[in-house]
Amino acid sequence: MGSVSTVISTLGELIQRYRNERSMTQTKLADLSGINRGSISKIENGNMKQLNYKTIQPIISVLQIPLHEVLDHFMLTDPRSETLFELLQDSIAYQDSSLSAKIASLFLTSQDGESGVLLHKLFHMTQQLSGTDELQLALFDTIITYARIHSKQSYIAQGTFHKYLVARNDFSKLEETYESGKIVLQYVEFLSSEERVTLYYKLGVHAYNLRRFCESIEICKRAVIEDEDESSFKAYSTLLICSSYFHQKQYELAEKYLKTFSLFNFPFVKENVDFMTAKLNERKGKIELAIEQLKQCLDSSTHKINIVNSLLTYYLSNNDLHAAHQLFQREQEFMELDLSNPIIKNGNAHYYIKKGKYFNKIGKQNEAVDYFIKSVTMFEALSKADETLIRKIENTRLLMIKAVQEGKNFTDDDVVQLSQELDTYLVEIQKKGLIKRVMWTS
């Protein structure tokens, strides 16, 4: 009992120290915390029996005592799961993922609760968090680690599944996140049918954005088979299969799945069918028809960015700069502001690339590089040093093109020097990890 009393006294001394540092009387602390002065005096003197976290939480809040200083005291005096869960809930406001993960781990290993019940409680709380990706990921990692150690397969499945749904929000780690998402496939038997459909669709979109079209087809076909409700996920999965076959130049299969997709009864179906029909006509050599169909799509479709990018591809390849300029004048009509969808974000990034190419063609090099940089920053913020490096690469590349256009050979001294400079810059950009970002938007 003596050791416990000493710890309680230490907790009281902690409160007293912070109160004195803030030049606050016990009466003032009582007014601000709603705890009567007599209780505060007993707490500080170590005379309060059954001291628990809920009792002193208002005091801790008023005095702004760091939670990690309080945690060790309660682990010795009141290590119940209820107390630790209260500490965990309060830790969220600190946005300290390592602290919250530590408390969560202690909560799961507390001795007064059944592990399955504690896991369920922690998982439910973590699911409900919003706008705190780093914290959610840390807590899901804690859940997954504990579940693996204790062979709780269903919570491994749920933890990895929901961790993937959160992690995929970070577009700067598309490759890494995709690989982590594929791990969830090992545990699909422990997911509900609805969760499996969601996983297959989200992972299929992910594979498509990484241009892993074979994998996108395979995963999306699983979504189509699993979904018995004819949901929007099933429709979009069918469209992804069609688009993936299109990018693989398997146009007959693309047409087959486009017909299947056209049978779904959703508002977004017609505009996507019209767009893909135009793209397939272009591949059949019906260029003029394709362009007219794309123009019609542009006037009638809700989401326009991919249509614009297709038209710009035609205009820039044929040096129809007037038509490209007219399209740029309509930018406010088609630029997407909601970038939560990776396909839309990727579409905007490709648009900026094409706009950069347009400015290159009309001799405005600085504006061109500005848009190339803007394209890359759709996925990750660039430092000033990163931007400078990209500008050096682009300027050197254009000087090389100009030298060749003037009839110089690649063996000429000035061309060799430019080539060596470009190699140096490319090595530097690769070390920074920027090369993937540049390639992604090219």
Side-chain angles (χ1 to χ4, degrees), residues 160-206:
T160 52
F161 170 58
H162 286 279
K163 178 186 173 183
Y164 168 66
L165 294 184
V166 175
R168 73 196 296 275
N169 294 332
D170 186 349
F171 296 118
S172 69
K173 299 178 180 177
L174 286 168
E175 289 275 2
E176 179 184 333
T177 306
Y178 177 67
E179 293 303 325
S180 71
K182 286 169 67 176
I183 293 173
V184 189
L185 295 174
Q186 301 172 24
Y187 301 98
V188 290
E189 63 187 286
F190 297 100
L191 300 177
S192 68
S193 179
E194 182 180 352
E195 288 169 335
R196 286 196 292 270
V197 171
T198 301
L199 172 65
Y200 295 147
Y201 169 68
K202 299 281 188 180
L203 209 52
V205 171
H206 209 146

mmCIF file of all heavy atoms in Angstrom, residues 160-206:
data_model
loop_
_atom_site.group_PDB
_atom_site.id
_atom_site.type_symbol
_atom_site.label_atom_id
_atom_site.label_comp_id
_atom_site.label_asym_id
_atom_site.label_seq_id
_atom_site.Cartn_x
_atom_site.Cartn_y
_atom_site.Cartn_z
ATOM 1 N N THR A 160 -5.971 -4.796 -41.835
ATOM 2 C CA THR A 160 -5.238 -4.532 -43.080
ATOM 3 C C THR A 160 -6.145 -3.915 -44.140
ATOM 4 O O THR A 160 -5.718 -3.043 -44.907
ATOM 5 C CB THR A 160 -4.616 -5.830 -43.629
ATOM 6 O OG1 THR A 160 -5.628 -6.850 -43.728
ATOM 7 C CG2 THR A 160 -3.492 -6.331 -42.745
ATOM 8 N N PHE A 161 -7.416 -4.336 -44.162
ATOM 9 C CA PHE A 161 -8.373 -3.786 -45.126
ATOM 10 C C PHE A 161 -8.600 -2.296 -44.878
ATOM 11 O O PHE A 161 -8.464 -1.466 -45.790
ATOM 12 C CB PHE A 161 -9.692 -4.553 -45.026
ATOM 13 C CG PHE A 161 -10.839 -3.945 -45.788
ATOM 14 C CD1 PHE A 161 -10.757 -3.734 -47.161
ATOM 15 C CD2 PHE A 161 -12.008 -3.573 -45.130
ATOM 16 C CE1 PHE A 161 -11.808 -3.176 -47.867
ATOM 17 C CE2 PHE A 161 -13.069 -3.011 -45.826
ATOM 18 C CZ PHE A 161 -12.972 -2.809 -47.198
ATOM 19 N N HIS A 162 -8.910 -1.941 -43.652
ATOM 20 C CA HIS A 162 -9.202 -0.529 -43.348
ATOM 21 C C HIS A 162 -7.939 0.324 -43.359
ATOM 22 O O HIS A 162 -8.004 1.513 -43.704
ATOM 23 C CB HIS A 162 -9.934 -0.428 -42.016
ATOM 24 C CG HIS A 162 -11.361 -0.866 -42.090
ATOM 25 N ND1 HIS A 162 -12.374 -0.060 -42.558
ATOM 26 C CD2 HIS A 162 -11.939 -2.069 -41.807
ATOM 27 C CE1 HIS A 162 -13.516 -0.720 -42.536
ATOM 28 N NE2 HIS A 162 -13.282 -1.941 -42.090
ATOM 29 N N LYS A 163 -6.810 -0.268 -43.025
ATOM 30 C CA LYS A 163 -5.554 0.463 -43.134
ATOM 31 C C LYS A 163 -5.297 0.823 -44.602
ATOM 32 O O LYS A 163 -4.874 1.943 -44.917
ATOM 33 C CB LYS A 163 -4.398 -0.371 -42.590
ATOM 34 C CG LYS A 163 -3.040 0.312 -42.720
ATOM 35 C CD LYS A 163 -1.897 -0.600 -42.308
ATOM 36 C CE LYS A 163 -0.552 0.048 -42.601
ATOM 37 N NZ LYS A 163 0.584 -0.837 -42.282
ATOM 38 N N TYR A 164 -5.557 -0.105 -45.498
ATOM 39 C CA TYR A 164 -5.367 0.167 -46.926
ATOM 40 C C TYR A 164 -6.283 1.291 -47.403
ATOM 41 O O TYR A 164 -5.851 2.180 -48.149
ATOM 42 C CB TYR A 164 -5.631 -1.100 -47.737
ATOM 43 C CG TYR A 164 -5.747 -0.840 -49.224
ATOM 44 C CD1 TYR A 164 -4.647 -0.397 -49.951
ATOM 45 C CD2 TYR A 164 -6.956 -1.000 -49.901
ATOM 46 C CE1 TYR A 164 -4.741 -0.127 -51.307
ATOM 47 C CE2 TYR A 164 -7.062 -0.737 -51.253
ATOM 48 C CZ TYR A 164 -5.963 -0.301 -51.953
ATOM 49 O OH TYR A 164 -6.068 -0.025 -53.296
ATOM 50 N N LEU A 165 -7.538 1.279 -46.969
ATOM 51 C CA LEU A 165 -8.476 2.318 -47.399
ATOM 52 C C LEU A 165 -8.006 3.706 -46.967
ATOM 53 O O LEU A 165 -8.226 4.686 -47.685
ATOM 54 C CB LEU A 165 -9.869 2.036 -46.822
ATOM 55 C CG LEU A 165 -10.583 0.775 -47.320
ATOM 56 C CD1 LEU A 165 -11.989 0.694 -46.739
ATOM 57 C CD2 LEU A 165 -10.634 0.719 -48.845
ATOM 58 N N VAL A 166 -7.348 3.779 -45.808
ATOM 59 C CA VAL A 166 -6.823 5.072 -45.331
ATOM 60 C C VAL A 166 -5.520 5.417 -46.055
ATOM 61 O O VAL A 166 -5.336 6.538 -46.538
ATOM 62 C CB VAL A 166 -6.581 5.037 -43.806
ATOM 63 C CG1 VAL A 166 -5.915 6.333 -43.336
ATOM 64 C CG2 VAL A 166 -7.890 4.823 -43.061
ATOM 65 N N ALA A 167 -4.621 4.438 -46.161
ATOM 66 C CA ALA A 167 -3.285 4.691 -46.726
ATOM 67 C C ALA A 167 -3.350 5.110 -48.189
ATOM 68 O O ALA A 167 -2.508 5.883 -48.655
ATOM 69 C CB ALA A 167 -2.415 3.445 -46.585
ATOM 70 N N ARG A 168 -4.353 4.640 -48.922
ATOM 71 C CA ARG A 168 -4.420 4.963 -50.356
ATOM 72 C C ARG A 168 -4.739 6.429 -50.607
ATOM 73 O O ARG A 168 -4.700 6.899 -51.756
ATOM 74 C CB ARG A 168 -5.404 4.039 -51.077
ATOM 75 C CG ARG A 168 -6.852 4.316 -50.809
ATOM 76 C CD ARG A 168 -7.744 3.152 -51.214
ATOM 77 N NE ARG A 168 -7.719 2.894 -52.648
ATOM 78 C CZ ARG A 168 -8.475 3.516 -53.540
ATOM 79 N NH1 ARG A 168 -9.298 4.471 -53.143
ATOM 80 N NH2 ARG A 168 -8.420 3.207 -54.820
ATOM 81 N N ASN A 169 -5.059 7.190 -49.558
ATOM 82 C CA ASN A 169 -5.278 8.630 -49.711
ATOM 83 C C ASN A 169 -3.983 9.378 -50.014
ATOM 84 O O ASN A 169 -4.024 10.516 -50.490
ATOM 85 C CB ASN A 169 -5.903 9.220 -48.443
ATOM 86 C CG ASN A 169 -7.307 8.699 -48.185
ATOM 87 O OD1 ASN A 169 -8.021 8.345 -49.119
ATOM 88 N ND2 ASN A 169 -7.703 8.634 -46.928
ATOM 89 N N ASP A 170 -2.846 8.748 -49.697
ATOM 90 C CA ASP A 170 -1.547 9.394 -49.918
ATOM 91 C C ASP A 170 -1.060 9.049 -51.326
ATOM 92 O O ASP A 170 -0.508 7.983 -51.566
ATOM 93 C CB ASP A 170 -0.540 8.914 -48.870
ATOM 94 C CG ASP A 170 0.792 9.660 -48.955
ATOM 95 O OD1 ASP A 170 1.005 10.396 -49.948
ATOM 96 O OD2 ASP A 170 1.617 9.505 -48.040
ATOM 97 N N PHE A 171 -1.266 9.978 -52.269
ATOM 98 C CA PHE A 171 -0.938 9.709 -53.665
ATOM 99 C C PHE A 171 0.562 9.682 -53.943
ATOM 100 O O PHE A 171 0.990 9.275 -55.015
ATOM 101 C CB PHE A 171 -1.604 10.751 -54.577
ATOM 102 C CG PHE A 171 -3.107 10.695 -54.541
ATOM 103 C CD1 PHE A 171 -3.830 11.782 -54.093
ATOM 104 C CD2 PHE A 171 -3.783 9.558 -54.932
ATOM 105 C CE1 PHE A 171 -5.210 11.741 -54.039
ATOM 106 C CE2 PHE A 171 -5.165 9.502 -54.884
ATOM 107 C CZ PHE A 171 -5.880 10.599 -54.442
ATOM 108 N N SER A 172 1.369 10.126 -52.967
ATOM 109 C CA SER A 172 2.818 10.109 -53.177
ATOM 110 C C SER A 172 3.397 8.713 -52.941
ATOM 111 O O SER A 172 4.570 8.477 -53.221
ATOM 112 C CB SER A 172 3.505 11.113 -52.234
ATOM 113 O OG SER A 172 3.414 10.672 -50.886
ATOM 114 N N LYS A 173 2.581 7.783 -52.440
ATOM 115 C CA LYS A 173 3.055 6.425 -52.143
ATOM 116 C C LYS A 173 2.190 5.379 -52.845
ATOM 117 O O LYS A 173 1.842 4.351 -52.262
ATOM 118 C CB LYS A 173 3.056 6.185 -50.635
ATOM 119 C CG LYS A 173 3.964 7.133 -49.864
ATOM 120 C CD LYS A 173 3.882 6.886 -48.370
ATOM 121 C CE LYS A 173 4.788 7.842 -47.604
ATOM 122 N NZ LYS A 173 4.664 7.657 -46.136
ATOM 123 N N LEU A 174 1.835 5.643 -54.087
ATOM 124 C CA LEU A 174 0.906 4.777 -54.803
ATOM 125 C C LEU A 174 1.414 3.341 -54.929
ATOM 126 O O LEU A 174 0.667 2.382 -54.723
ATOM 127 C CB LEU A 174 0.613 5.356 -56.189
ATOM 128 C CG LEU A 174 -0.313 6.577 -56.205
ATOM 129 C CD1 LEU A 174 -0.304 7.229 -57.576
ATOM 130 C CD2 LEU A 174 -1.712 6.209 -55.791
ATOM 131 N N GLU A 175 2.683 3.180 -55.277
ATOM 132 C CA GLU A 175 3.259 1.836 -55.439
ATOM 133 C C GLU A 175 3.267 1.095 -54.103
ATOM 134 O O GLU A 175 2.826 -0.055 -54.012
ATOM 135 C CB GLU A 175 4.689 1.939 -55.982
ATOM 136 C CG GLU A 175 4.791 2.369 -57.436
ATOM 137 C CD GLU A 175 4.642 1.204 -58.407
ATOM 138 O OE1 GLU A 175 4.416 0.072 -57.941
ATOM 139 O OE2 GLU A 175 4.737 1.449 -59.621
ATOM 140 N N GLU A 176 3.789 1.759 -53.089
ATOM 141 C CA GLU A 176 3.909 1.144 -51.769
ATOM 142 C C GLU A 176 2.534 0.761 -51.215
ATOM 143 O O GLU A 176 2.341 -0.336 -50.677
ATOM 144 C CB GLU A 176 4.602 2.136 -50.827
ATOM 145 C CG GLU A 176 4.775 1.646 -49.401
ATOM 146 C CD GLU A 176 5.390 2.721 -48.511
ATOM 147 O OE1 GLU A 176 6.118 3.592 -49.035
ATOM 148 O OE2 GLU A 176 5.131 2.677 -47.299
ATOM 149 N N THR A 177 1.577 1.669 -51.351
ATOM 150 C CA THR A 177 0.246 1.414 -50.829
ATOM 151 C C THR A 177 -0.450 0.290 -51.588
ATOM 152 O O THR A 177 -1.175 -0.520 -50.999
ATOM 153 C CB THR A 177 -0.607 2.702 -50.914
ATOM 154 O OG1 THR A 177 0.081 3.762 -50.263
ATOM 155 C CG2 THR A 177 -1.951 2.502 -50.245
ATOM 156 N N TYR A 178 -0.222 0.232 -52.888
ATOM 157 C CA TYR A 178 -0.827 -0.834 -53.688
ATOM 158 C C TYR A 178 -0.339 -2.200 -53.219
ATOM 159 O O TYR A 178 -1.134 -3.147 -53.073
ATOM 160 C CB TYR A 178 -0.493 -0.626 -55.166
ATOM 161 C CG TYR A 178 -1.011 -1.727 -56.061
ATOM 162 C CD1 TYR A 178 -2.379 -1.915 -56.244
ATOM 163 C CD2 TYR A 178 -0.139 -2.581 -56.736
ATOM 164 C CE1 TYR A 178 -2.866 -2.926 -57.055
ATOM 165 C CE2 TYR A 178 -0.609 -3.592 -57.554
ATOM 166 C CZ TYR A 178 -1.970 -3.754 -57.713
ATOM 167 O OH TYR A 178 -2.444 -4.762 -58.516
ATOM 168 N N GLU A 179 0.947 -2.312 -52.956
ATOM 169 C CA GLU A 179 1.498 -3.593 -52.488
ATOM 170 C C GLU A 179 0.913 -3.969 -51.128
ATOM 171 O O GLU A 179 0.634 -5.144 -50.882
ATOM 172 C CB GLU A 179 3.027 -3.517 -52.411
ATOM 173 C CG GLU A 179 3.717 -3.378 -53.767
ATOM 174 C CD GLU A 179 3.379 -4.508 -54.727
ATOM 175 O OE1 GLU A 179 3.214 -5.657 -54.279
ATOM 176 O OE2 GLU A 179 3.274 -4.236 -55.937
ATOM 177 N N SER A 180 0.715 -2.972 -50.269
ATOM 178 C CA SER A 180 0.109 -3.267 -48.965
ATOM 179 C C SER A 180 -1.344 -3.686 -49.140
ATOM 180 O O SER A 180 -1.857 -4.534 -48.389
ATOM 181 C CB SER A 180 0.197 -2.048 -48.040
ATOM 182 O OG SER A 180 -0.667 -1.009 -48.456
ATOM 183 N N GLY A 181 -2.014 -3.108 -50.134
ATOM 184 C CA GLY A 181 -3.398 -3.485 -50.402
ATOM 185 C C GLY A 181 -3.526 -4.910 -50.898
ATOM 186 O O GLY A 181 -4.490 -5.616 -50.564
ATOM 187 N N LYS A 182 -2.547 -5.345 -51.667
ATOM 188 C CA LYS A 182 -2.585 -6.717 -52.179
ATOM 189 C C LYS A 182 -2.473 -7.751 -51.060
ATOM 190 O O LYS A 182 -2.952 -8.885 -51.193
ATOM 191 C CB LYS A 182 -1.468 -6.923 -53.207
ATOM 192 C CG LYS A 182 -1.752 -6.241 -54.543
ATOM 193 C CD LYS A 182 -0.538 -6.236 -55.449
ATOM 194 C CE LYS A 182 -0.165 -7.614 -55.912
ATOM 195 N NZ LYS A 182 0.971 -7.585 -56.866
ATOM 196 N N ILE A 183 -1.853 -7.360 -49.947
ATOM 197 C CA ILE A 183 -1.744 -8.268 -48.798
ATOM 198 C C ILE A 183 -3.132 -8.629 -48.263
ATOM 199 O O ILE A 183 -3.362 -9.755 -47.798
ATOM 200 C CB ILE A 183 -0.891 -7.619 -47.684
ATOM 201 C CG1 ILE A 183 0.558 -7.467 -48.160
ATOM 202 C CG2 ILE A 183 -0.936 -8.434 -46.397
ATOM 203 C CD1 ILE A 183 1.445 -6.685 -47.216
ATOM 204 N N VAL A 184 -4.061 -7.689 -48.367
ATOM 205 C CA VAL A 184 -5.420 -7.934 -47.864
ATOM 206 C C VAL A 184 -6.073 -9.098 -48.602
ATOM 207 O O VAL A 184 -6.922 -9.803 -48.041
ATOM 208 C CB VAL A 184 -6.292 -6.666 -47.997
ATOM 209 C CG1 VAL A 184 -7.625 -6.849 -47.264
ATOM 210 C CG2 VAL A 184 -5.573 -5.439 -47.453
ATOM 211 N N LEU A 185 -5.664 -9.334 -49.850
ATOM 212 C CA LEU A 185 -6.243 -10.426 -50.634
ATOM 213 C C LEU A 185 -6.037 -11.779 -49.954
ATOM 214 O O LEU A 185 -6.801 -12.723 -50.198
ATOM 215 C CB LEU A 185 -5.637 -10.443 -52.042
ATOM 216 C CG LEU A 185 -5.938 -9.218 -52.920
ATOM 217 C CD1 LEU A 185 -5.148 -9.303 -54.227
ATOM 218 C CD2 LEU A 185 -7.427 -9.109 -53.206
ATOM 219 N N GLN A 186 -5.022 -11.875 -49.112
ATOM 220 C CA GLN A 186 -4.754 -13.137 -48.405
ATOM 221 C C GLN A 186 -5.801 -13.418 -47.320
ATOM 222 O O GLN A 186 -5.904 -14.543 -46.831
ATOM 223 C CB GLN A 186 -3.368 -13.091 -47.758
ATOM 224 C CG GLN A 186 -2.218 -12.861 -48.724
ATOM 225 C CD GLN A 186 -0.902 -12.622 -48.001
ATOM 226 O OE1 GLN A 186 -0.723 -13.039 -46.857
ATOM 227 N NE2 GLN A 186 0.025 -11.950 -48.663
ATOM 228 N N TYR A 187 -6.576 -12.393 -46.969
ATOM 229 C CA TYR A 187 -7.501 -12.536 -45.844
ATOM 230 C C TYR A 187 -8.957 -12.286 -46.251
ATOM 231 O O TYR A 187 -9.807 -12.081 -45.380
ATOM 232 C CB TYR A 187 -7.123 -11.553 -44.733
ATOM 233 C CG TYR A 187 -5.717 -11.736 -44.210
ATOM 234 C CD1 TYR A 187 -4.671 -10.937 -44.677
ATOM 235 C CD2 TYR A 187 -5.426 -12.713 -43.265
ATOM 236 C CE1 TYR A 187 -3.377 -11.105 -44.203
ATOM 237 C CE2 TYR A 187 -4.132 -12.888 -42.781
ATOM 238 C CZ TYR A 187 -3.115 -12.084 -43.251
ATOM 239 O OH TYR A 187 -1.827 -12.257 -42.792
ATOM 240 N N VAL A 188 -9.258 -12.326 -47.547
ATOM 241 C CA VAL A 188 -10.598 -11.947 -47.994
ATOM 242 C C VAL A 188 -11.695 -12.842 -47.431
ATOM 243 O O VAL A 188 -12.843 -12.417 -47.312
ATOM 244 C CB VAL A 188 -10.694 -11.922 -49.544
ATOM 245 C CG1 VAL A 188 -9.907 -10.772 -50.116
ATOM 246 C CG2 VAL A 188 -10.248 -13.243 -50.144
ATOM 247 N N GLU A 189 -11.363 -14.085 -47.073
ATOM 248 C CA GLU A 189 -12.381 -14.985 -46.531
ATOM 249 C C GLU A 189 -12.929 -14.478 -45.199
ATOM 250 O O GLU A 189 -14.027 -14.877 -44.771
ATOM 251 C CB GLU A 189 -11.802 -16.391 -46.344
ATOM 252 C CG GLU A 189 -10.663 -16.459 -45.326
ATOM 253 C CD GLU A 189 -9.994 -17.816 -45.277
ATOM 254 O OE1 GLU A 189 -10.612 -18.751 -44.728
ATOM 255 O OE2 GLU A 189 -8.865 -17.932 -45.791
ATOM 256 N N PHE A 190 -12.186 -13.592 -44.541
ATOM 257 C CA PHE A 190 -12.628 -13.059 -43.261
ATOM 258 C C PHE A 190 -13.360 -11.722 -43.424
ATOM 259 O O PHE A 190 -13.766 -11.121 -42.430
ATOM 260 C CB PHE A 190 -11.430 -12.874 -42.325
ATOM 261 C CG PHE A 190 -10.736 -14.158 -41.980
ATOM 262 C CD1 PHE A 190 -9.562 -14.519 -42.635
ATOM 263 C CD2 PHE A 190 -11.266 -15.021 -41.037
ATOM 264 C CE1 PHE A 190 -8.909 -15.696 -42.325
ATOM 265 C CE2 PHE A 190 -10.632 -16.202 -40.726
ATOM 266 C CZ PHE A 190 -9.452 -16.556 -41.372
ATOM 267 N N LEU A 191 -13.523 -11.255 -44.653
ATOM 268 C CA LEU A 191 -14.258 -10.025 -44.933
ATOM 269 C C LEU A 191 -15.677 -10.364 -45.386
ATOM 270 O O LEU A 191 -15.925 -11.439 -45.937
ATOM 271 C CB LEU A 191 -13.558 -9.204 -46.017
ATOM 272 C CG LEU A 191 -12.124 -8.751 -45.735
ATOM 273 C CD1 LEU A 191 -11.562 -8.019 -46.960
ATOM 274 C CD2 LEU A 191 -12.059 -7.849 -44.515
ATOM 275 N N SER A 192 -16.588 -9.431 -45.183
ATOM 276 C CA SER A 192 -17.952 -9.625 -45.684
ATOM 277 C C SER A 192 -17.954 -9.476 -47.206
ATOM 278 O O SER A 192 -17.003 -8.946 -47.798
ATOM 279 C CB SER A 192 -18.894 -8.600 -45.059
ATOM 280 O OG SER A 192 -18.571 -7.296 -45.536
ATOM 281 N N SER A 193 -19.027 -9.920 -47.825
ATOM 282 C CA SER A 193 -19.134 -9.797 -49.288
ATOM 283 C C SER A 193 -19.050 -8.341 -49.717
ATOM 284 O O SER A 193 -18.380 -8.003 -50.703
ATOM 285 C CB SER A 193 -20.453 -10.408 -49.771
ATOM 286 O OG SER A 193 -20.582 -10.272 -51.168
ATOM 287 N N GLU A 194 -19.693 -7.450 -48.974
ATOM 288 C CA GLU A 194 -19.656 -6.019 -49.296
ATOM 289 C C GLU A 194 -18.236 -5.472 -49.190
ATOM 290 O O GLU A 194 -17.798 -4.682 -50.037
ATOM 291 C CB GLU A 194 -20.582 -5.256 -48.350
ATOM 292 C CG GLU A 194 -20.660 -3.769 -48.639
ATOM 293 C CD GLU A 194 -21.577 -3.029 -47.689
ATOM 294 O OE1 GLU A 194 -22.284 -3.701 -46.897
ATOM 295 O OE2 GLU A 194 -21.595 -1.788 -47.724
ATOM 296 N N GLU A 195 -17.515 -5.909 -48.158
ATOM 297 C CA GLU A 195 -16.131 -5.463 -47.993
ATOM 298 C C GLU A 195 -15.240 -6.003 -49.099
ATOM 299 O O GLU A 195 -14.342 -5.302 -49.575
ATOM 300 C CB GLU A 195 -15.601 -5.903 -46.624
ATOM 301 C CG GLU A 195 -16.201 -5.117 -45.461
ATOM 302 C CD GLU A 195 -15.886 -5.733 -44.111
ATOM 303 O OE1 GLU A 195 -15.643 -6.966 -44.043
ATOM 304 O OE2 GLU A 195 -15.884 -4.985 -43.123
ATOM 305 N N ARG A 196 -15.500 -7.234 -49.524
ATOM 306 C CA ARG A 196 -14.695 -7.805 -50.615
ATOM 307 C C ARG A 196 -14.919 -7.033 -51.914
ATOM 308 O O ARG A 196 -13.957 -6.746 -52.646
ATOM 309 C CB ARG A 196 -15.047 -9.289 -50.804
ATOM 310 C CG ARG A 196 -14.495 -10.185 -49.724
ATOM 311 C CD ARG A 196 -14.520 -11.649 -50.137
ATOM 312 N NE ARG A 196 -15.873 -12.190 -50.250
ATOM 313 C CZ ARG A 196 -16.534 -12.762 -49.248
ATOM 314 N NH1 ARG A 196 -15.983 -12.841 -48.043
ATOM 315 N NH2 ARG A 196 -17.744 -13.239 -49.441
ATOM 316 N N VAL A 197 -16.160 -6.692 -52.199
ATOM 317 C CA VAL A 197 -16.455 -5.907 -53.411
ATOM 318 C C VAL A 197 -15.730 -4.567 -53.354
ATOM 319 O O VAL A 197 -15.113 -4.135 -54.336
ATOM 320 C CB VAL A 197 -17.978 -5.681 -53.565
ATOM 321 C CG1 VAL A 197 -18.259 -4.680 -54.687
ATOM 322 C CG2 VAL A 197 -18.686 -6.998 -53.854
ATOM 323 N N THR A 198 -15.794 -3.919 -52.191
ATOM 324 C CA THR A 198 -15.112 -2.626 -52.019
ATOM 325 C C THR A 198 -13.613 -2.774 -52.234
ATOM 326 O O THR A 198 -12.988 -1.966 -52.937
ATOM 327 C CB THR A 198 -15.386 -2.063 -50.611
ATOM 328 O OG1 THR A 198 -16.787 -1.905 -50.424
ATOM 329 C CG2 THR A 198 -14.694 -0.718 -50.417
ATOM 330 N N LEU A 199 -13.035 -3.807 -51.623
ATOM 331 C CA LEU A 199 -11.592 -4.042 -51.769
ATOM 332 C C LEU A 199 -11.222 -4.269 -53.227
ATOM 333 O O LEU A 199 -10.270 -3.646 -53.739
ATOM 334 C CB LEU A 199 -11.171 -5.250 -50.930
ATOM 335 C CG LEU A 199 -9.721 -5.732 -51.149
ATOM 336 C CD1 LEU A 199 -8.728 -4.672 -50.681
ATOM 337 C CD2 LEU A 199 -9.476 -7.056 -50.438
ATOM 338 N N TYR A 200 -11.939 -5.146 -53.912
ATOM 339 C CA TYR A 200 -11.608 -5.468 -55.299
ATOM 340 C C TYR A 200 -11.708 -4.226 -56.183
ATOM 341 O O TYR A 200 -10.831 -3.982 -57.033
ATOM 342 C CB TYR A 200 -12.539 -6.554 -55.837
ATOM 343 C CG TYR A 200 -12.399 -7.892 -55.158
ATOM 344 C CD1 TYR A 200 -13.504 -8.732 -54.988
ATOM 345 C CD2 TYR A 200 -11.170 -8.339 -54.673
ATOM 346 C CE1 TYR A 200 -13.394 -9.965 -54.363
ATOM 347 C CE2 TYR A 200 -11.054 -9.570 -54.047
ATOM 348 C CZ TYR A 200 -12.159 -10.375 -53.900
ATOM 349 O OH TYR A 200 -12.053 -11.591 -53.277
ATOM 350 N N TYR A 201 -12.751 -3.425 -55.971
ATOM 351 C CA TYR A 201 -12.906 -2.220 -56.787
ATOM 352 C C TYR A 201 -11.789 -1.217 -56.508
ATOM 353 O O TYR A 201 -11.144 -0.719 -57.439
ATOM 354 C CB TYR A 201 -14.263 -1.569 -56.557
ATOM 355 C CG TYR A 201 -14.357 -0.203 -57.181
ATOM 356 C CD1 TYR A 201 -14.357 -0.061 -58.576
ATOM 357 C CD2 TYR A 201 -14.384 0.951 -56.406
ATOM 358 C CE1 TYR A 201 -14.398 1.199 -59.165
ATOM 359 C CE2 TYR A 201 -14.435 2.204 -56.983
ATOM 360 C CZ TYR A 201 -14.433 2.317 -58.359
ATOM 361 O OH TYR A 201 -14.457 3.560 -58.938
ATOM 362 N N LYS A 202 -11.554 -0.925 -55.214
ATOM 363 C CA LYS A 202 -10.529 0.062 -54.860
ATOM 364 C C LYS A 202 -9.150 -0.383 -55.339
ATOM 365 O O LYS A 202 -8.359 0.416 -55.851
ATOM 366 C CB LYS A 202 -10.494 0.261 -53.339
ATOM 367 C CG LYS A 202 -11.786 0.773 -52.723
ATOM 368 C CD LYS A 202 -11.950 2.246 -52.908
ATOM 369 C CE LYS A 202 -13.144 2.759 -52.117
ATOM 370 N NZ LYS A 202 -13.349 4.216 -52.276
ATOM 371 N N LEU A 203 -8.849 -1.666 -55.181
ATOM 372 C CA LEU A 203 -7.558 -2.192 -55.610
ATOM 373 C C LEU A 203 -7.466 -2.200 -57.141
ATOM 374 O O LEU A 203 -6.389 -1.954 -57.713
ATOM 375 C CB LEU A 203 -7.375 -3.602 -55.052
ATOM 376 C CG LEU A 203 -5.952 -4.098 -54.775
ATOM 377 C CD1 LEU A 203 -5.174 -3.119 -53.909
ATOM 378 C CD2 LEU A 203 -5.987 -5.466 -54.119
ATOM 379 N N GLY A 204 -8.587 -2.463 -57.801
ATOM 380 C CA GLY A 204 -8.611 -2.435 -59.262
ATOM 381 C C GLY A 204 -8.341 -1.047 -59.813
ATOM 382 O O GLY A 204 -7.590 -0.878 -60.782
ATOM 383 N N VAL A 205 -8.946 -0.032 -59.183
ATOM 384 C CA VAL A 205 -8.683 1.366 -59.562
ATOM 385 C C VAL A 205 -7.213 1.698 -59.356
ATOM 386 O O VAL A 205 -6.575 2.341 -60.190
ATOM 387 C CB VAL A 205 -9.559 2.327 -58.731
ATOM 388 C CG1 VAL A 205 -9.141 3.779 -58.959
ATOM 389 C CG2 VAL A 205 -11.018 2.156 -59.078
ATOM 390 N N HIS A 206 -6.687 1.233 -58.230
ATOM 391 C CA HIS A 206 -5.284 1.482 -57.883
ATOM 392 C C HIS A 206 -4.352 0.895 -58.941
ATOM 393 O O HIS A 206 -3.433 1.562 -59.425
ATOM 394 C CB HIS A 206 -5.001 0.844 -56.517
ATOM 395 C CG HIS A 206 -3.930 1.528 -55.744
ATOM 396 N ND1 HIS A 206 -3.947 1.631 -54.373
ATOM 397 C CD2 HIS A 206 -2.787 2.139 -56.131
ATOM 398 C CE1 HIS A 206 -2.873 2.273 -53.965
ATOM 399 N NE2 HIS A 206 -2.148 2.590 -55.006
#
